[in-house]
Amino acid sequence: MKIAIYRNDNEHSINIAEALTSKILAVPDANIEFDQENPDIVISVGGDGTLLSAFHEYDAQLDSVRFIGVHTGHLGFYADWQDFELDELVDSLTHDSKEYVEYPILQADLYFSGSVKQTIYALNEVVIKRSFGTLSAEVLINDNYFERFKGDGLSIATPSGSTAYNKAIGGAVVSPNLDAMQLTEIGSINNRVFRTLGSPVILSDHDVVTIKSPDAMDSSVQIAFDTLHFVTKNLEKIDFKIAPTKIRFAKYRHMNFWHRIQTSFIGPEEK
Ligand code: NAP
Ligand code: MN
């Protein structure tokens, strides 16, 4: 089994990554080697943000890679191992059953003038905004006109990303067992010209959401996806759909999504 360790530059993460490496090397006959290029398992050490970066580092190898997240702060959503559980993690690696859980990811196809196409993937969400002022955009669902948006921006989130930015802008929390994507408005203006549904929309893996913005043609729009972003123009449209490939997480123990939501956002019941 080939392992890559991907960490952030925080001092504690550096120490935890080193401790993990030593513990793996200390296992006799473990049949584990380190390979940053073509790993079977990527262990992210840091926060959920670090796992998002690890996903983008290995997003061309999703069919062969399984991810594990070790959180060096609190318990995370993707990073659901904690820094005091390294022995248990090493034990799980040496008894690896090759099992995994899969979560859907988002695919955005960006079409620029001059027939230039770019595809990006997101584990949490893609957000389109303008650097200054409001964004105007036409939203189409399956090539049919849906609504005309004016406001701060639009977010399209995955189910596992639904607890991140999407939740802060009023989106619903969605089970990652559903092959779904969620379109959420950010600060929409509603009047006679610009009229939007106003509530988040959850779409299936048969649906394509298209965003066409005149601002994306002449002025610069920001495309933020997970921990990454760029500013662009000459962008004719973006098509969003659920990607054909999913992200896989090594399944060494039962991690219940709703339990994680409960402990992260609500906490123990007051008696
Ligand atoms: P960050 O500013 O450190 O992240 C914001 C927070 O979101 C961090 O606490 C991060 O956890 C957490 N987070 C990341 N993915 C999550 C998920 N799927 N469910 C619940 N919480 C999640 O930036 P970052 O670490 O680079 O993460 C990028 C993400 O931040 C973006 O994809 C976006 O979703 C989110 N974000 C949220 C807001 C907002 O809520 N207003 C605004 C901008 C961006 P860790 O501390 O473990 O990294
Ligand atoms: Mn972070």
Side-chain angles (χ1 to χ4, degrees):
M1 180 164 66
K2 293 176 288 179
I3 291 182
I5 295 183
Y6 186 98
R7 59 157 176 80
N8 65 18
D9 289 330
N10 169 310
E11 197 183 330
H12 186 49
S13 300
I14 295 174
N15 292 336
I16 293 297
E18 276 176 12
L20 180 61
T21 306
S22 317
K23 282 176 190 287
I24 292 171
L25 289 172
V27 181
D29 311 315
N31 201 19
I32 296 177
E33 53 182 289
F34 290 94
D35 184 340
Q36 291 294 123
E37 302 297 314
N38 289 297
D40 302 307
I41 290 194
V42 173
I43 306 177
S44 159
V45 178
D48 283 329
T50 316
L51 194 130
L52 292 168
S53 302
F55 161 75
H56 286 281
E57 180 75 17
Y58 292 98
D59 69 358
Q61 302 172 46
L62 294 184
D63 288 335
S64 57
V65 166
R66 287 175 293 151
F67 291 84
I68 292 172
V70 178
H71 210 297
T72 51
H74 50 95
L75 183 66
F77 284 84
Y78 299 116
D80 58 349
W81 289 79
Q82 288 188 269
D83 52 9
F84 50 82
E85 297 177 303
L86 296 186
D87 290 322
E88 197 189 329
L89 175 56
V90 173
D91 189 60
S92 300
L93 287 169
T94 52
H95 298 98
D96 182 37
S97 59
K98 305 236 170 3
E99 279 185 282
Y100 54 79
V101 286
E102 289 184 317
Y103 287 177
I105 59 172
L106 183 68
Q107 175 175 337
D109 295 317
L110 288 80
Y111 294 86
F112 295 92
S113 31
S115 308
V116 180
K117 186 185 161 188
Q118 183 188 353
T119 296
I120 59 176
Y121 296 95
L123 176 54
N124 268 354
E125 76 287 288
V126 175
V127 175
I128 172 165
K129 281 184 181 170
R130 257 175 82 192
S131 308
F132 300 100
T134 51
L135 175 85
S136 302
E138 192 178 304
V139 177
L140 296 90
I141 296 180
N142 302 329
D143 283 329
N144 294 311
Y145 170 78
F146 186 68
E147 61 186 8
R148 204 174 303 281
F149 174 87
K150 191 177 178 74
D152 286 345
L154 290 163
S155 163
I156 296 92
T158 64
S160 61
S162 68
T163 50
Y165 188 50
N166 169 76
K167 188 171 181 299
I169 54 173
V173 172
V174 177
S175 165
N177 293 326
L178 296 173
D179 288 331
M181 60 182 168
Q182 181 169 188
L183 169 68
T184 310
E185 304 172 8
I186 313 164
S188 59
I189 297 167
N190 268 286
N191 54 33
R192 283 202 285 181
V193 184
F194 295 96
R195 185 135 300 276
T196 50
L197 187 63
S199 59
V201 179
I202 297 175
L203 300 112
S204 78
D205 58 350
H206 297 291
D207 297 318
V208 177
V209 173
T210 302
I211 296 179
K212 282 184 186 168
S213 166
D215 303 320
M217 280 304 291
D218 12 315
S219 56
S220 297
V221 289
Q222 292 178 34
I223 308 290
F225 54 120
D226 300 339
T227 54
L228 305 169
H229 74 275
F230 57 84
V231 175
T232 190
K233 55 182 171 183
N234 300 324
L235 177 59
E236 285 170 356
K237 64 162 187 167
I238 314 178
D239 284 346
F240 295 92
K241 59 186 176 204
I242 294 156
T245 38
K246 293 186 172 187
I247 184 171
R248 296 172 178 172
F249 294 92
K251 190 183 179 184
Y252 293 144
R253 58 182 182 189
H254 186 68
M255 45 156 173
N256 185 288
F257 178 75
W258 297 111
H259 179 67
R260 235 180 316 161
I261 303 293
Q262 204 285 330
T263 50
S264 300
F265 294 118
I266 300 161
E269 184 182 5
E270 286 196 34
K271 293 265 162 52

